[in-house]
Amino acid sequence: MLSFALPDGSTRSVAVTRVFNAGYAGRAQEEVAAHVAELAELGVPAPEVTPALYPVSPYLAAQSETVPAQHGRTSGEAEWALVLGEDVSDPLLTVACDHTDRDLEVHGVAWSKNAGLDVLGTRAWRLSEIADVDAVSLRAWVRHGEHEQLIQDAKLGALLAPAYWLDVLRERGWLAPGTVLLSGTVAMVAGVDQFADGWRVELADPATGDVLPLAYAVDRLPDPIG
């Protein structure tokens, strides 16, 4: 069960039943194709089609201040998330971070998405009340010790729009209460170490000045015995 505070002071709770992670979801698909080629050189298998959509376990959608990690090569991805409550015609938009296992990614992107939490913010906007979704900014910072550094900075216009994904869900018969869909991410700043002690992500709407934040620490689990 996730709960979101809305700008009008109300709260909406959603029992999550299905979660999807979009991938390779940049609006400029020629840039996506170049990115797929770069990843292939690193051993990450290319998707059969782009954009991609990966179903993940519903329990991975969490509002958490910590994310457990089994090793040191996991990292977040700044994203937005659509959240469908009982009235699917009134979706919510919130900030999200898809924490991904980069070592597992070379064996299968879908597997890597199922190995980490999808962290969602505790505040949300009604999608219908956002004046210009494309103008909303998406930023992320990584923390190494006490030092924080910007790693992602883009407008939502760089990604396929929420309306695109709502149409995909509708066409597939997946537009149902309890559905959560994460957008896919934007490019990371070159030279910034993504394998961090913590992540902080913000969505900011220039029309209202409102900001949706989330932050979490990465909790490295002890090494296994055996």
Side-chain angles (χ1 to χ4, degrees), residues 115-220:
L117 295 183
D118 284 341
V119 183
L120 283 77
T122 58
R123 296 183 58 241
W125 300 318
R126 294 177 66 200
L127 182 61
S128 62
E129 294 179 347
I130 304 173
D132 184 357
V133 173
D134 285 356
V136 172
S137 64
L138 174 63
R139 295 188 181 95
W141 296 261
V142 287
R143 178 177 55 80
H144 295 274
E146 299 300 318
H147 177 64
E148 192 174 70
Q149 191 172 8
L150 183 72
I151 190 169
Q152 293 178 282
D153 186 359
K155 303 292 186 184
L156 295 197
L159 294 166
L160 293 169
Y164 171 89
W165 290 112
L166 287 170
D167 285 344
V168 170
L169 293 177
R170 187 177 295 108
E171 291 166 2
R172 297 274 180 160
W174 297 337
L175 193 71
T179 299
V180 174
L181 184 146
L182 275 70
S183 64
T185 196
V186 295
M188 293 189 184
V189 176
V192 178
D193 183 5
Q194 64 182 301
F195 303 119
D197 300 322
W199 280 73
R200 181 167 67 88
V201 186
E202 290 182 350
L203 282 181
D205 186 350
T208 63
D210 196 14
V211 176
L212 302 181
L214 72 77
Y216 63 85
V218 178
D219 179 21
R220 175 71 183 274

Side-chain angles (χ1 to χ4, degrees), residues 7-34:
D8 63 5
S10 65
T11 300
R12 190 179 299 182
S13 296
V14 177
V16 177
T17 58
R18 186 164 287 178
V19 178
F20 298 96
N21 285 180
Y24 308 101
R27 201 168 295 188
Q29 283 288 298
E30 66 278 6
E31 296 179 7
V32 171

